[in-house]
Amino acid sequence: MKSVALVCASDFNASYFLSQSYDEIVAVDGGYAHLQAAGVAPTFALGDFDSLGYVPQGVPLITFPEEKDDSDLGLALNWCLEKGYFNVTVYGSFGGRLDHTLATLQTMMGFALHAGACIQGISNDERLVVMPSGCSLSISKEGQTPEFCALHKDYRTVSVIALTNQVEDLSIRGMKYGLEKGTLTNQCSLGLSNELVGEEAFVSVGSGCALVLLPLSQRCSFGRLALSQKCLI
């Protein structure tokens, strides 16, 4: 399965990005400047380029008018859906304006629901995973010694938030607070601030769409509940 990185214009975790490898790297508008600064040539650049302030030269382009009904990230995710690229990571869309962050999460949810696959976003210190129906997430116990978890709270906190009205048949295992085929709604904070405890942790969604936020330092893999194939991150 091809892996795709979409690099947008907000805060960019260059060090983490450079530690990964992707089959396709798409500069989404002002994300082109981030990639230039990192010395990385994108597969192509996409957007209306109002954030960048100029149209890039010497790179394949997909351009759009400034007045449009979707964000540049939304258009990039539509491109991924058309190509059948479902292993997608979003950079540069978190840490700036709150309305942009919320719109990014909504757009990622739309992609996840259409693709039937997890999609992740990378901030400066967190991994944000949008999980639609039938998807699972495993968090490795590597590096999670009980002593480390006890001393470093910032590196053990995991939150699960309902993006749809309800997330049903939600299971959470291997954390301080477990749940087995429970229901989470988007009108409460029940899934906030769970904790890793030094074991392999697991989250699965039966129906609905959930957002899982976890420390970027923790390795994880995505999968489908009925399949063994996983994407190691």
Side-chain angles (χ1 to χ4, degrees):
M1 182 185 298
K2 273 198 172 186
S3 59
V4 181
L6 305 179
V7 181
C8 303
S10 190
D11 294 355
F12 177 51
N13 191 333
S15 60
Y16 184 84
F17 172 82
L18 291 171
S19 73
Q20 307 297 303
S21 61
Y22 300 97
D23 298 309
E24 302 273 359
I25 299 173
V26 181
V28 181
D29 200 319
Y32 181 78
H34 288 318
L35 290 171
Q36 269 202 319
V40 176
T43 306
F44 67 89
L46 175 152
D48 55 26
F49 301 108
D50 61 340
S51 298
L52 186 62
Y54 62 92
V55 177
Q57 302 296 313
V59 60
L61 297 175
I62 300 177
T63 59
F64 298 92
E66 287 188 29
E67 295 185 0
K68 55 188 186 301
D69 294 331
D70 207 348
S71 66
D72 290 326
L73 175 60
L75 295 168
L77 288 172
N78 287 338
W79 175 84
C80 290
L81 285 172
E82 291 170 3
K83 293 288 188 180
Y85 297 158
F86 300 147
N87 181 5
V88 178
T89 303
V90 177
Y91 289 87
S93 275
F94 311 96
R97 283 171 46 182
L98 178 59
D99 57 345
H100 282 182
T101 298
L102 292 174
T104 291
L105 292 173
Q106 287 183 318
T107 304
M108 289 171 64
M109 178 173 70
F111 172 89
L113 292 172
H114 280 90
C118 292
I119 176 174
Q120 68 168 339
I122 303 297
S123 72
N124 285 332
D125 51 15
E126 281 187 310
R127 188 189 311 277
L128 303 90
V129 182
V130 176
M131 297 179 60
S133 302
C135 283
S136 64
L137 167 67
S138 298
I139 304 171
S140 172
K141 69 177 182 180
E142 180 183 349
Q144 281 192 61
T145 64
E147 294 79 12
F148 182 86
C149 289
L151 290 172
H152 302 279
K153 185 173 182 179
D154 290 345
Y155 294 96
R156 68 174 191 257
T157 301
V158 177
S159 292
V160 182
I161 295 170
L163 293 177
T164 48
N165 289 338
Q166 288 193 152
V167 176
E168 298 180 338
D169 290 332
L170 173 69
S171 294
I172 300 172
R173 303 179 195 134
M175 299 189 208
K176 184 175 182 178
Y177 306 104
L179 184 66
E180 195 65 35
K181 294 190 177 299
T183 298
L184 189 66
T185 78
N186 61 3
Q187 299 178 41
C188 71
S189 58
L190 178 63
L192 189 67
S193 296
N194 210 330
E195 295 180 15
L196 300 171
V197 292
E199 303 175 9
E200 182 177 14
F202 178 82
V203 181
S204 66
V205 173
S207 65
C209 193
L211 170 66
V212 181
L213 301 97
L214 65 149
L216 192 54
S217 59
Q218 302 299 338
R219 289 176 61 83
C220 66
S221 60
F222 312 136
R224 298 285 300 176
L225 295 179
L227 300 177
S228 60
Q229 182 178 8
K230 292 184 177 180
C231 173
L232 183 64
I233 302 296

